[in-house]
Amino acid sequence: MGNTVMSIEQKGSDDVKHPPATSSAMPSQDATNGQTAPSRQERALRYLERKRLRQEAVLSEVPAGLNSEDEAEAEQITDKMPIISGALPALKENTVPTFPSKRPVRSSMLIMPDLPPAPPILSTSLVVAPPLPTEIPAGESSAYWRRHRKLVQRRLVRKRIRSTRVQTRHTYARILLTLSCVGLSLLLVLLSVGGATAYESYRFYSDTQAKYLTEVVSLHDLLPRDNLKMYDRKGVFIGQLTDRGIHTTIKLKQVSSDLINATIATEDKNFWTNQGLDIPRILQAAIDNLRNGRVVEGGSTITQQLIKNLVLGNEATFTRKLTEVVLTPQVNDDYSKNDILEMYLNSIYYGQQAYGIDAAANVFFGLQDTPSKPASQQLDLAQSAMLAGLPNYPDGNNPLHHPQAAFNRLQIVLDAMVAQHYITKVQELDALAEAHGPHFFKKADVTRNRAPHFFNFALGQLQQMYRIKRSALSRSDMNVYTTLDIGLQDKIQKIAQQRVAELRDYHNLTNAAEVLIDYHTGAIISLLGSIDYNNKSIDGQYDVATQGYRQPGSSFKPYVYVTAFEQGASPAQAIDDAPLTIDLPGENPPTFSPQNYDLHYHGHMTLRCALQNSLNVPAVKVLQHVGITDAMRTARDMGITHYQGTPGYSLVLGGLGVRLLDHTSAFGTFANNGVHMPYYAINKVSFVNAHQTYTHPRGQGQQVISSQMAYMMTNVLSDNTSRLPEFDDCNPLQLYANDASSCWAGDRGRVRPAAAKTGTTTDFRDNWTLGYTTDYVMGVWAGNDNNTPMYDISGIQGAAPIWHDAMLLAEQGRPIRDFNNPGGLERATVTYPDGVKTRDWFMPGTVPSFDLSQPSQTQGNDNGNGINPIFPIPTPAPSKKKSDTPVAHPYCPSNFSFDFPPSSSKEASGWW
């Protein structure tokens, strides 16, 4: 709209065409109110009026308040703004529109001023209205400017609103752009980090798989090795190494079903169905731990715990946990559930140094493994539930140290078993009642060792066999089956304790040691290093049998005598028990003069008599004849491989320090027909996880002396009648079945053949008895560990009674047999030039022959020193004869006699 408005221009009359006078050309009357219908012009005016009213209504709702800039802009707009209302008067002058009287006028609307009548409008022509007048009537000025101001304000408000909307859209666009850029940047960063994380994760996964592949595929090899356990020859448990814990590998079928159910209910209730990881359980455990502010529940499954125990260790790090998660699926795929559970039960720690369920059953309840049923299979419900609750916190739930915590944990385990339908509520109550009983726990003394000296000796043999250190034996996976008969040894130990107790007060005898060997094989049947390992007053832990080097006294003599037999001598060989002095150039003292135990000399006799009565002087003479070197070689070949001291003439009197074990083994060579079988303590070693077994080889031994020489010695040492001058009858070297008092009364009972020799050292510091039957050889030592002297007690009183009783005990139930003569010997009667006449064994071709047609008539009353302590001339009885020849009395009348009085000539040959 410009400065003009549209108007109707009337054309000339000659151009005017009047409409026909019909009803349609005339304005119609309203049937109701009698008004004529509005014309087209009226409708246009009404439209303009309604539009104005709407504008005013809008302006009336817009707050008036413009700043200076808005008012200036409004002035500019006012000058250029088309004024619609100004054209209304002109229109009003030309026409008089009739409005329906019923149209209401709102009170809020502005009433238009009266318009001048409009000129007649012809329907045939329309003309452009002339410009509106610039002046406004004075009466209408105030209303006009109010309307005008409102219009301007409305225009500005709309512009401001549009501008604000545009600015808001721009602001939102910038924010959106910024957020988009930030989001894109974050996305790029996340993609970068995610890519790097994915790469690192893949590399971690790959590295973990590669690093632990060997361990995962060989988990059985990573199971804790069993601690070394030792058994006797009958499978009876002796002891074990516990310095690195206790562990016994068992199969899953050897575990109580109650223990299996209790473990699964407590540690991993979805064990049989999960894939090694239980994500819901892990999340629940994390929530519970956060809620309690401490670790109250673990989310690890049994499979995860197995990996931790065997592969990764207990280090509490995030890396370890991730590694555990990576390896778990592979373990779950490679092993069956039974395998995983079996390995878990064999590796978990239960406290009290018990690793694995079998060890725990033994430690907490005293259950012992048997060949048919291991301890783990003997567990009942209450015991199983108690043990199943320990791995969660072995030290804190230890029932021996924290009983209340243990019983609280027991309740949790039983409740879980009830909830998972493993047991009923009644069974739970019964188990609780049992657990609260007074004898529920039966703690086993896992460190108890029934044969500590033998146990330690056997460990030493294992070290030599496998060339490993003692520490490596602790978890060596060995089950060691030994030669020991622990039941027999316990009885022998009681005998030794009783005999020592009888002599302790009067003879200052406090200790004894014993070794029993099956000389046919070399197997050690019994080995006591002392009478009481735990008695500190006697230094009981010191093993005299295998570690002590004690002087053997006369028990060493048989090695020297058998050397003489090998050199051609016979037990019948005549020898003179007379004073002897041996020069020892360059030594201090320069001479050696042996003396007998009774400080007397006993004249001419046989080697048999001299040995059986343990005479020292004849023994030194025998050593002179055979030589120290040959005698030591014989002793070494027979088993005296270790000794202390320097061999000399005193060795035949026990001048060297030897071990009881070696000494006993060497004596067994006599019993075994001259074949030496090295002793051993281990029959079999079983490696549990490796399924390998070592068995002691059955060797043939070594023939170190001929069987004839061995039999000669056995025949001498078993000759009880020849030893009567020194040891009397019913001595303990004779294995009669009845007691000593019955023997002295003439009732010996059955007598088992036995060969034995005693030994006593200077000042009574050591007592020895060594002897053998057709089955065993036994050696016994008696004395004091601190080497203090005993009081007036010899081997026949100190060690021999122990030997006698223990040997009879060992032989119980065995047939009585005599020693076997191997043959190849001759028995002959010989009279030696000194008058000794005897019958004994000889090697073929060695029976001596002497010309006794001119026997020496020299009386035996002078031994070169002007004294004759052995054969004094008896006071002659009244007789008609002018003189009587003194009669010599043989020292061993059952062994030899004098065919004529012995000669005292030193130059005579035929005797030593």
Side-chain angles (χ1 to χ4, degrees):
M1 298 174 61
N3 294 323
T4 61
V5 295
M6 296 296 298
S7 64
I8 302 174
E9 181 180 348
Q10 186 179 5
K11 294 186 178 181
S13 61
D14 51 326
D15 295 330
V16 176
K17 293 181 181 181
H18 297 277
T22 62
S23 62
S24 62
M26 294 299 292
S28 60
Q29 297 291 327
D30 188 282
T32 305
N33 51 27
Q35 294 181 352
T36 61
S39 66
R40 184 177 181 184
Q41 186 176 9
E42 290 173 344
R43 288 195 301 271
L45 289 175
R46 289 177 181 176
Y47 169 75
L48 291 176
E49 179 64 15
R50 288 194 301 271
K51 184 175 181 181
R52 182 181 66 80
L53 293 175
R54 285 196 300 271
Q55 290 176 349
E56 289 178 352
V58 172
L59 286 176
S60 66
E61 296 176 0
V62 178
L66 301 175
N67 54 31
S68 58
E69 294 179 357
D70 293 335
E71 291 179 354
E73 184 176 359
E75 293 294 334
Q76 296 176 3
I77 294 173
T78 303
D79 294 339
K80 301 177 181 179
M81 182 178 179
I83 305 302
I84 298 176
S85 61
L88 295 178
L91 292 174
K92 193 174 180 179
E93 292 176 357
N94 297 326
T95 181
V96 182
T98 302
F99 298 98
S101 60
K102 69 177 181 178
R103 182 177 180 86
V105 179
R106 296 177 184 177
S107 60
S108 60
M109 295 182 181
L110 297 176
I111 304 301
M112 292 182 61
D114 293 337
L115 297 177
I121 299 175
L122 299 179
S123 60
T124 58
S125 65
L126 291 175
V127 296
V128 179
L132 294 175
T134 58
E135 295 182 1
I136 301 174
E140 298 177 359
S141 174
S142 174
Y144 168 79
W145 284 112
R146 283 196 302 271
R147 290 193 301 271
H148 180 68
R149 185 177 183 84
K150 288 181 179 181
L151 290 174
V152 172
Q153 288 176 346
R154 187 197 308 169
R155 173 77 58 87
L156 292 177
V157 168
R158 286 203 300 267
K159 182 178 179 181
R160 173 62 65 88
I161 291 174
R162 286 194 298 270
S163 175
T164 301
R165 288 176 179 173
V166 171
Q167 290 178 358
T168 301
R169 285 194 298 269
H170 289 174
T171 301
Y172 287 158
R174 287 194 299 271
I175 292 174
L176 182 60
L177 179 61
T178 302
L179 292 177
S180 300
C181 293
V182 172
L184 182 60
S185 301
L186 290 176
L187 180 61
L188 293 175
V189 171
L190 290 175
L191 290 175
S192 300
V193 173
T197 303
Y199 172 75
E200 290 297 328
S201 299
Y202 175 76
R203 191 175 72 172
F204 177 79
Y205 177 84
S206 301
D207 292 347
T208 300
Q209 292 283 353
K211 181 178 180 180
Y212 296 105
L213 176 62
T214 304
E215 288 87 345
V216 168
V217 299
S218 59
L219 283 181
H220 286 289
D221 297 334
L222 300 179
L223 286 171
R225 293 184 176 273
D226 285 10
N227 63 305
L228 184 145
K229 300 176 184 63
M230 195 171 293
Y231 304 86
D232 81 340
R233 64 193 300 117
K234 299 177 182 178
V236 178
F237 181 75
I238 299 173
Q240 59 186 336
L241 290 176
T242 61
D243 54 312
R244 294 177 58 189
I246 307 165
H247 183 269
T248 301
T249 300
I250 43 86
K251 298 293 184 181
L252 186 62
K253 63 182 180 181
Q254 295 175 308
V255 181
S256 166
S257 59
D258 288 330
L259 187 280
I260 293 175
N261 294 336
T263 299
I264 293 176
T266 307
E267 297 294 332
D268 188 359
K269 65 180 181 180
N270 299 319
F271 170 75
W272 297 113
T273 58
N274 64 38
Q275 298 301 311
L277 293 172
D278 194 341
I279 303 301
R281 184 168 181 265
I282 294 175
L283 295 177
Q284 183 62 46
I287 294 172
D288 293 342
N289 293 339
L290 289 174
R291 183 182 296 117
N292 289 274
R294 60 186 180 90
V295 178
V296 296
E297 182 180 357
S300 296
T301 62
I302 286 178
T303 309
Q304 289 177 273
Q305 294 182 56
L306 177 67
I307 295 173
K308 178 185 69 175
N309 294 336
L310 299 186
V311 180
L312 304 178
N314 293 322
E315 184 181 6
T317 63
F318 183 70
T319 302
R320 194 269 298 168
K321 195 66 178 179
L322 282 180
T323 305
E324 180 182 300
V325 172
V326 170
L327 297 178
T328 296
Q330 183 177 353
V331 172
N332 196 73
D333 292 339
D334 292 348
Y335 298 92
S336 68
K337 289 292 186 179
N338 284 345
D339 286 338
I340 293 173
L341 185 58
E342 178 181 304
M343 289 187 287
Y344 173 80
L345 292 175
N346 275 310
S347 61
I348 199 68
Y349 179 61
Y350 286 89
Q352 291 292 113
Q353 293 298 302
Y355 292 84
I357 185 58
D358 192 76
N362 172 251
V363 169
F364 291 99
F365 299 108
L367 301 176
Q368 298 293 331
D369 290 336
T370 64
S372 60
K373 203 171 188 180
S376 59
Q377 201 168 3
Q378 303 172 34
L379 293 167
D380 61 19
L381 175 60
Q383 295 168 337
S384 298
M386 178 63 73
L387 294 181
L390 298 183
N392 173 265
Y393 188 13
D395 294 331
N397 294 331
N398 189 325
L400 303 180
H401 299 156
H402 308 285
Q404 188 57 51
F407 284 112
N408 292 340
R409 183 64 177 167
L410 171 66
Q411 183 70 64
I412 293 174
V413 174
L414 291 173
D415 287 344
M417 295 183 72
V418 172
Q420 297 174 42
H421 308 293
Y422 286 114
I423 61 174
T424 65
K425 191 66 178 179
V426 173
Q427 289 176 302
E428 177 186 13
L429 296 176
D430 291 341
L432 288 173
E434 177 188 345
H436 286 86
H439 305 293
F440 182 60
F441 295 106
K442 301 179 182 65
K443 182 182 178 182
D445 185 4
V446 296
T447 61
R448 179 173 179 261
N449 195 317
R450 294 186 62 182
H453 290 123
F454 178 86
F455 183 88
N456 291 331
F457 174 75
L459 292 181
Q461 285 209 322
L462 288 172
Q463 289 180 252
Q464 294 178 4
M465 290 166 56
Y466 295 102
R467 302 181 184 276
I468 56 178
K469 296 182 180 180
R470 173 69 174 267
S471 59
L473 290 174
S474 296
R475 283 297 187 93
S476 59
D477 207 31
M478 293 182 183
N479 282 341
V480 182
Y481 299 89
T482 67
T483 60
L484 184 70
D485 186 338
I486 188 61
L488 175 61
Q489 176 167 291
D490 288 344
K491 295 176 182 179
I492 293 175
Q493 184 174 10
K494 291 180 180 180
I495 290 172
Q497 291 172 344
Q498 179 182 353
R499 289 296 186 177
V500 169
E502 293 172 355
L503 301 171
R504 179 181 294 113
D505 296 336
Y506 294 101
H507 298 280
N508 191 36
L509 173 60
T510 62
N511 201 10
E514 170 270 340
V515 173
L516 177 67
I517 298 176
D518 180 354
Y519 56 78
H520 302 95
T521 62
I524 300 173
I525 309 301
S526 173
L527 188 152
L528 289 172
S530 70
I531 61 173
D532 187 355
Y533 182 86
N534 298 311
N535 190 337
K536 294 182 180 180
S537 65
I538 64 171
D539 194 17
Q541 294 189 8
Y542 182 70
D543 186 358
V544 179
T546 65
Q547 298 175 342
Y549 286 88
R550 310 299 295 243
Q551 292 187 353
S554 295
S555 63
F556 198 87
K557 291 173 181 175
Y559 307 126
V560 178
Y561 276 76
V562 79
T563 306
F565 296 164
E566 285 189 305
Q567 294 179 358
S570 164
Q573 173 62 48
I575 192 169
D576 186 15
D577 177 18
L580 174 68
T581 298
I582 302 174
D583 293 331
L584 302 174
E587 295 188 16
N588 186 21
T591 60
F592 173 63
S593 299
Q595 290 183 323
N596 293 321
Y597 171 77
D598 61 0
L599 302 179
H600 294 289
Y601 301 100
H602 304 281
H604 291 262
M605 62 184 64
T606 62
L607 294 185
R608 177 186 292 267
C609 178
L611 178 57
Q612 280 296 79
N613 291 278
S614 198
L615 299 177
N616 294 336
V617 176
V620 174
K621 287 187 175 182
V622 173
L623 181 58
Q624 280 184 303
H625 277 79
V626 303
I628 295 173
T629 302
D630 288 348
M632 285 303 301
R633 182 173 60 250
T634 300
R636 188 181 302 109
D637 292 344
M638 293 183 68
I640 306 296
T641 55
H642 302 85
Y643 62 87
Q644 288 182 348
T646 302
Y649 287 110
S650 65
L651 72 86
V652 73
L653 309 180
L656 298 177
V658 298
R659 302 188 307 176
L660 175 61
L661 177 60
D662 295 334
H663 202 6
T664 306
S665 176
F667 250 70
T669 305
F670 293 129
N672 199 32
N673 295 318
V675 177
H676 177 62
M677 296 294 296
Y679 55 76
Y680 68 96
I682 299 171
N683 271 330
K684 182 176 68 174
V685 178
S686 175
F687 294 88
V688 179
N689 290 311
H691 304 292
Q692 297 177 351
T693 301
Y694 160 84
T695 303
H696 180 78
R698 299 297 181 183
Q700 299 299 317
Q702 182 180 1
Q703 189 81 45
V704 295
I705 58 175
S706 70
S707 59
Q708 289 76 20
M709 299 301 102
Y711 178 75
M712 279 186 180
M713 182 56 64
T714 298
N715 185 262
V716 171
L717 296 178
S718 61
D719 184 2
N720 188 61
T721 59
S722 294
R723 66 167 67 101
L724 293 182
E726 183 66 31
F727 298 102
D728 293 326
D729 198 6
C730 295
N731 61 74
L733 300 181
Q734 185 181 187
L735 294 180
Y736 42 82
N738 296 335
D739 57 24
S741 60
S742 298
C743 178
W744 285 111
D747 184 13
R748 300 173 187 267
R750 298 190 65 182
V751 178
R752 184 180 295 272
K757 184 71 186 76
T758 62
T760 305
T761 60
T762 306
D763 298 330
F764 305 104
R765 297 180 187 274
D766 301 278
N767 279 184
W768 298 75
T769 296
L770 292 101
Y772 50 90
T773 64
T774 56
D775 299 304
Y776 302 116
V777 58
M778 178 184 287
V780 176
W781 168 91
N784 300 311
D785 276 10
N786 59 9
N787 205 35
T788 56
M790 295 172 284
Y791 304 150
D792 192 25
I793 184 171
S794 65
I796 197 66
Q797 300 166 299
I802 299 174
W803 178 89
H804 176 273
D805 295 348
M807 186 62 87
L808 285 176
L809 181 66
E811 288 287 357
Q812 281 184 354
R814 292 182 173 272
I816 296 177
R817 296 173 298 179
D818 203 350
F819 295 106
N820 182 49
N821 187 337
L825 294 173
E826 295 181 4
R827 190 168 179 83
T829 301
V830 178
T831 300
Y832 287 87
D834 61 352
V836 172
K837 182 179 180 179
T838 186
R839 180 175 179 79
D840 218 319
W841 295 101
F842 296 86
M843 289 292 293
T846 63
V847 179
S849 177
F850 302 101
D851 182 9
L852 302 178
S853 59
Q854 300 293 328
S856 172
Q857 298 298 321
T858 306
Q859 299 296 327
N861 61 349
D862 187 358
N863 56 18
N865 294 328
I867 60 173
N868 184 4
I870 307 303
F871 304 115
I873 299 175
T875 302
S879 175
K880 297 182 178 178
K881 294 182 179 180
K882 295 183 179 179
S883 64
D884 290 329
T885 302
V887 178
H889 299 283
Y891 187 64
C892 299
S894 63
N895 172 237
F896 70 93
S897 62
F898 287 115
D899 196 40
F900 51 84
S903 170
S904 61
S905 173
K906 294 181 179 181
E907 289 77 16
S909 62
W911 71 84
W912 294 353

